[in-house]
């Protein structure tokens, strides 16, 4: 393979030129003909050469340049809701990412995942080759129905729609419910990608100030009366970026206001598995009448297995299913659903979560101390998860600090990317599992 | 596990009730305590029981009913563009699906897929746990860039955007380019899901009569002048449902008309690997100026690994990338990209394709003879692939025939689901790899 590759790269073999016959090359290189056949097959699979039946192999041309070095994120991008995603998803290997929204690989259930992948290699051929059912794996939906029941939500497997990611779950609900120009409420601050997603739907985004116990109830009711929004999109369990938990009283106030204005609520539970004890769920209080439950497995199991789910009102299931057929020809990969099912059903998963809770509690404490040493102070102490929503010292501009840190290879998450009203210029979201001493040194220098 | 499951199912253990201690149950069942711990952990992972730290295990409740039997496709659905997808994706195990759009598992490269999955179980932890880059796996994009070069299309890896499926690739381009109310041209007949997808974008769909060498050039030019469409969405290589191939002359006429009306063309190459010899590509003739290339691996490699791609104009890459972050938080699963890359790079893949071509050529011939025996005659003889687009005898209504066959468990694809103008009532698309003698008997009875 190296011989032929070299000849093509040096243009000793021009595009369209015939390669040496298998017999001749085997003789020249003193290898067996079957070795040459194998090498030619692999080069053909790579597209470097092409076979013409009965006429041997031909060079295809010089491969496209390896241009990926120019492919990384630019340093001069606007600090907008895409800023953190671009920088953290496309960060160079080895870059530090205290701004990103997920755990490093060594915090994930690696052994259970490898077991699940090995078992998948022996699965029925249909799991490996076929499209899946329009609503996704029945077995995984049965497991999720039991989890719903444990959370006080009555929903059978037939009321659950699997999707290719948590983001796509929200996207599908937005497609189903929103018309261009509709108004959607979000928390201020909220997960930055809610804003990006809602912009893709041409929705008008209105923020409601977020308190340590949920959205400010008076401002929430006021926003409903003034803006008549179609949807409210929020995280419960542990709020992104603040780590705050909805209180029972605020949950009740939100639902009462929603009922008065016929508002639908999308409750994204993506951080639920990080809770030490369950907290109020809008979906449970409301009985899935006007609340749509959304979840995924990206934060505690794997972000590489793309799988999420929707638990909607029963009469919306068919419409969501059809919309998913139209836009994705079905739900998540059957392989992905199988890997999620196997990992969740693995006896070790509960231990993984318990260990994660303990390790994160310690890291949150250590990181808070380290950040306090730089004058960076958490807004609240979250009960769980990996986020600390912090105020920078002396009213420093978080966007400037993030740009300075990025120039040294450290990705941060400046407050205003989370704030529809741009009212968090001196805030920053930190991921405690992604902060190390080198990152802290860079942050210290960026603070100046 | 069976003991506890049984007690919960019989309600001998009520929701909230404490389970026997590990020591007690081990003694009662004469097994070791570690066996009980393992069983409790697995039941907890399934959501049947829950642990309270320091206080033992508790029953959660009776599991949700296994309601999936009611979950299958209804027999009385309208014959609309969703009809074939619903019926074929959700068909019961063992149902015959001559109407579906994919090959049975035993036609797919099963051994290579299993090798790729086994290799994946040893991949870097980041591949198994992390989000991927916003544009998707660099290595797979390099391979696709070489395939583009082999097809006469100059596009570096930086000009390729991986997506979670071929359908999502088209969906993303539609989101990027279409405004609600825009007009989009499709072939008449065309792949039914193009219509479903375009309806989800609130586009106005206009069909152009399709001939054995591509869209009718005069009617195409007329449609451009009258409807001023924003997009034309088509299959090249082997057209779905007809199996026809674009001629060089029609390709040139289409591009000339497109240039005169500033039309963008989405060229879906999903059946390209079934071609015995390459045919004209709009993207190659046009140099990706107004043609966007779309592809996936679902038909020849695996439909369970969800992965597709877009090769757009260079200046559209960033916008498509951002849109994909907003709506899916990145491209396809890194695991999926790795499985595609490994299988395509496997020396056996070229042989798999060659064998597939031979086997399908024979099946097309056999199926045409079998169908001719029922008076069902192919519109053309396709050069490759697995579709035969056929006229039913005596002007029989294909929707009626499809409903009668479905009642006997055979999924067919009646012509009008492919026809925006509903002008193919007596046509039917057959998948030659999914027809067997039992299916033929049911079709014969349905024809009456």
């Amino acid at each position: 393979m190296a011989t032929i590759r070299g000849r093509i790269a040096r243009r000793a073999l021009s595009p369209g030129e015939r390669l040496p016959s298998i017999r001749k090359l085997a003789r020249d290189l003193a290898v067996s003909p079957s070795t040459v056949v194998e090498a030619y097959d692999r080069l053909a699979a790579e597209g470097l050469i092409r076979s013409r039946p009965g006429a041997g192999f031909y060079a295809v041309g010089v491969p496209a340049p390896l241009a990926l070095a120019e492919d990384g994120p630019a340093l001069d991008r606007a600090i907008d809701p895409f800023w953190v995603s671009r920088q953290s998803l496309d960060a160079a290997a080895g870059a530090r990412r205290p701004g990103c929204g997920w755990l490093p690989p060594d915090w994930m259930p690696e052994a259970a995942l490898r077991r699940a992948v090995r078992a998948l290699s022996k699965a029925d051929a249909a799991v490996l080759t076929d499209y899946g059912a329009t609503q996704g794996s029945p077995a995984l939906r049965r497991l999720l129905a039991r989890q719903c029941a444990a959370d006080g939500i009555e929903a059978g497997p037939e009321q659950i729609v699997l999707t290719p990611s948590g983001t796509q779950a929200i996207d599908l609900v937005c497609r189903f419910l929103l018309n261009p120009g509709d108004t959607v409420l979000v928390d201020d601050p909220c997960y930055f990608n809610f804003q990006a997603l809602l912009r893709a739907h041409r929705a008008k985004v209105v923020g409601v100030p977020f308190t340590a116990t949920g959205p400010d109830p008076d401002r929430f009711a006021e926003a409903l009366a003034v803006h008549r929004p179609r949807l409210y999109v929020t995280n419960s369990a542990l709020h992104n970026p603040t780590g705050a938990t909805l209180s029972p009283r605020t949950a009740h106030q939100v639902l009462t206001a929603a009922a008065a204005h016929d508002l639908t609520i999308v409750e994204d539970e993506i951080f639920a598995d990080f809770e030490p004890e369950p907290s109020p769920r809008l979906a449970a209080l409301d009985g899935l009448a006007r609340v749509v439950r959304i979840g995924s497995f990206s934060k505690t199991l794997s972000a590489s297995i793309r799988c999420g789910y929707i638990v909607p009102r029963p009469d919306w299931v068919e419409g969501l299913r059809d919309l998913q057929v139209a836009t994705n020809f079905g739900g998540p990969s059957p392989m992905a659903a199988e890997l999620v099912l196997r990992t969740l059903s693995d006896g070790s998963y509960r231990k993984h979560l318990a260990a994660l809770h303990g390790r994160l509690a310690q890291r949150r404490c250590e990181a808070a101390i380290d950040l306090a040493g730089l004058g960076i102070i958490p807004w609240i102490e979250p009960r769980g998860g990996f986020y600390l929503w912090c105020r920078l010292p002396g009213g420093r501009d978080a966007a400037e600090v993030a740009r300075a840190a990025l120039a040294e290879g450290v990705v941060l998450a400046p407050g205003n990317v989370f704030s529809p009203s741009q009212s968090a210029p001196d805030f920053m979201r930190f991921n405690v599992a992604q902060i190390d001493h080198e990152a802290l040194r860079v942050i210290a220098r960026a603070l100046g």
Side-chain angles (χ1 to χ4, degrees), chain A residues 143-194:
Chain A
L143 189 148
L144 290 173
R146 289 195 295 266
Q147 286 192 354
C148 282
D151 294 343
I153 295 168
E154 292 286 331
E158 73 289 350
Q159 200 179 334
I160 300 176
V161 179
L162 299 184
T163 64
S165 70
T167 306
Q168 290 207 21
I170 304 175
D171 183 44
L172 205 61
V173 172
C174 287
R175 282 194 174 193
F176 187 64
L177 293 177
L178 292 182
N179 285 308
D182 278 354
T183 297
V184 179
L185 293 194
V186 295
D187 302 314
D188 190 351
C190 70
Y191 172 40
F192 49 77
N193 208 47
F194 287 166

Side-chain angles (χ1 to χ4, degrees), chain A residues 280-348:
Chain A
R281 288 294 190 282
L282 296 170
L285 292 173
D286 166 69
L288 292 173
R290 60 179 64 259
V291 179
V292 180
R293 173 182 247 206
I294 298 288
S296 99
F297 315 93
S298 299
K299 303 303 180 186
T300 48
L301 196 158
S302 160
S304 175
I305 306 175
R306 306 300 284 151
C307 191
Y309 60 89
I310 308 172
V311 193
R313 284 168 45 167
D315 57 328
W316 288 356
V317 168
E318 186 169 332
L320 289 167
R321 230 162 96 161
D322 281 352
L323 198 50
Q324 181 152 261
V325 167
T327 57
N328 188 40
F329 210 63
S333 149
M335 287 194 196
E338 182 75 13
L339 290 175
V340 168
L341 178 68
R342 282 182 187 276
T343 313
L344 289 181
S345 311
D346 191 299
S348 71

Side-chain angles (χ1 to χ4, degrees), chain A residues 28 60 62 65 70 89 123 130 136 166 169 172-173 175 177 188 207 228 233 249 267 284 297 321 324-325 337 360 443:
Chain A
D28 291 356
V60 163
V62 177
E70 302 160 26
L89 290 169
D130 244 357
L172 205 61
V173 172
R175 282 194 174 193
L177 293 177
D188 190 351
R228 304 267 159 192
V233 181
R249 186 168 147 71
E267 184 175 45
F297 315 93
R321 230 162 96 161
Q324 181 152 261
V325 167
L360 277 174
I443 295 166

Side-chain angles (χ1 to χ4, degrees), chain A residues 103 107 274 300 353-366 384-387 431-433:
Chain A
L103 294 172
W107 289 66
F274 290 103
T300 48
L353 286 187
L356 209 51
H357 290 176
R359 195 173 167 192
L360 277 174
Q362 191 180 339
R363 276 301 299 145
R364 283 196 306 274
C365 178
E366 291 165 359
F386 46 79
Y387 291 137
N431 177 335
V432 300

Side-chain angles (χ1 to χ4, degrees), chain A residues 370-377 391-394 447:
Chain A
D370 286 339
L371 291 167
L374 304 177
I376 301 172
I377 307 300
R391 191 186 290 276
L392 300 186
L447 282 170

Side-chain angles (χ1 to χ4, degrees), chain A residues 226-246:
Chain A
V226 173
H227 298 288
R228 304 267 159 192
R230 177 74 188 89
L231 272 186
Y232 166 48
V233 181
T234 189
N235 297 120
S236 53
L238 293 161
H239 177 257
N240 181 1
T242 63
T245 297
L246 190 65

